[in-house]
Amino acid sequence: MSIIKIKKFFLFILFLFLIPSSAMAGDLLLKSLGHGSFLIKGKEKSVLINPFKAIGCASDLNEPKGINSDFILASSKLADEGYNPNDQLMFVKPGVYKFEDILLNGIEIPHDRVGGRRFGMATVWSWEQNNLKIVHMGGAAGEMDINSQIILSRPDILFISIGGGFKSYNGSEASDIVKKLKPSIVVPVHFMRGKNISDNCDFSNADFFLENMQDFKVKYLGKSFEINSKRIDKNTIYIFKD
């Protein structure tokens, strides 16, 4: 090996030691498990979002059982978003928590349009993983106050319900939330796929939401997708398969 090559090799090793760990965060895997449930897997930790029992709008889906994760974040203890038969570590109540190096912030927002009087309050989660700010509003359907807006604003990835019904934002409400929070990437959840609307589910499809999101480009994905924290898309909607 020549002297020049040796110098370059040692400079590269020195660079690896000096750069901050956040700069080497690598890819963040988003894997759709159906309904509003996702596995979010980074270099160090895996988070399971809103595991469900196959009832209601999720009745034709496979329940996310046997998923390896460090912990669960749930919007509530309702069976379609807080199903935890194996009694895994699950955060569901609002508050500030720390799991090793991940700081979790849970904020209360009504789960319906009548101040939570019908379905109670949902917990909206905000945390940072692989140097990306993530907000999950899968269980919210009520108004967001200014304090919540400040805490949740400008996420890199925003999960939000769009299908309407009794306990999800509809397309217009969800688009208003997106415009207030200004995320880079939007991942819609809780909506019917395709044009056929099921009789046993009060969700609509994504059309109404997309009509209100003309400033965003849309990417249709499979069940999983990797995001590089240093090359994140801007003003993009990711539509995952259930």
Side-chain angles (χ1 to χ4, degrees):
M1 185 181 292
S2 69
I3 294 176
I4 293 176
K5 286 184 178 179
I6 291 173
K7 286 183 177 178
K8 287 183 178 180
F9 174 77
F10 280 109
L11 285 172
F12 174 72
I13 296 297
L14 181 62
F15 171 77
L16 291 178
F17 276 105
L18 291 178
I19 58 176
S21 59
S22 61
M24 298 178 65
D27 292 341
L28 185 72
L29 174 69
L30 307 184
K31 182 177 181 180
S32 173
L33 303 172
H35 201 44
S37 185
F38 275 80
L39 178 67
I40 304 178
K41 187 174 183 180
K43 182 180 179 182
E44 301 292 339
K45 299 291 183 293
S46 296
V47 183
L48 177 59
I49 305 295
N50 282 15
F52 58 86
K53 188 173 178 60
I55 60 173
C57 292
S59 59
D60 61 341
L61 300 175
N62 295 320
E63 294 175 1
K65 296 178 179 178
I67 304 297
N68 291 323
S69 65
D70 291 286
F71 58 88
I72 296 170
L73 290 180
S75 299
S76 75
K77 288 188 176 180
L78 294 175
D80 64 345
E81 62 189 16
Y83 186 52
N84 188 13
N86 298 321
D87 199 27
Q88 290 180 257
L89 175 62
M90 182 170 80
F91 298 95
V92 64
K93 293 183 178 180
V96 178
Y97 306 88
K98 188 172 183 183
F99 181 87
E100 297 183 10
D101 60 342
I102 297 182
L103 189 66
L104 308 165
N105 194 356
I107 298 171
E108 272 192 335
I109 291 180
H111 213 324
D112 49 49
R113 296 174 184 81
V114 289
R117 291 190 295 276
R118 182 167 185 179
F119 291 104
M121 304 298 286
T123 303
V124 170
W125 291 104
S126 173
W127 74 101
E128 188 170 300
Q129 193 174 354
N130 276 48
N131 210 31
L132 296 171
K133 180 179 179 180
I134 305 171
V135 170
H136 193 280
M137 301 187 74
E143 294 185 3
M144 176 179 60
D145 62 30
I146 187 63
N147 291 329
S148 298
Q149 182 178 331
I150 291 170
I151 293 171
L152 302 174
S153 66
R154 298 191 179 279
D156 295 294
I157 306 169
L158 171 66
F159 294 84
I160 187 167
S161 60
I162 67 167
F166 292 114
K167 53 190 178 75
S168 292
Y169 292 121
N170 62 35
S172 177
E173 293 164 340
S175 66
D176 287 341
I177 295 287
V178 170
K179 289 167 186 174
K180 289 177 181 176
L181 296 185
K182 297 178 171 48
S184 295
I185 293 169
V186 179
V187 180
V189 299
H190 291 175
F191 64 97
M192 295 297 294
R193 265 58 177 178
K195 301 293 182 181
N196 297 323
I197 306 302
S198 174
D199 292 334
N200 65 347
C201 180
D202 58 3
F203 290 162
S204 65
N205 58 33
D207 292 352
F208 190 29
F209 175 69
L210 297 179
E211 288 169 6
N212 286 278
M213 298 297 296
Q214 298 295 327
D215 294 335
F216 278 65
K217 57 182 176 289
V218 181
K219 287 188 176 181
Y220 291 91
L221 307 172
K223 285 185 172 291
S224 61
F225 187 77
E226 289 188 345
I227 298 174
N228 189 303
S229 61
K230 293 186 287 185
R231 294 194 300 272
I232 189 168
D233 289 326
K234 301 292 184 182
N235 293 346
T236 305
I237 297 169
Y238 288 171
I239 305 269
F240 284 84
K241 286 184 179 179
D242 255 354

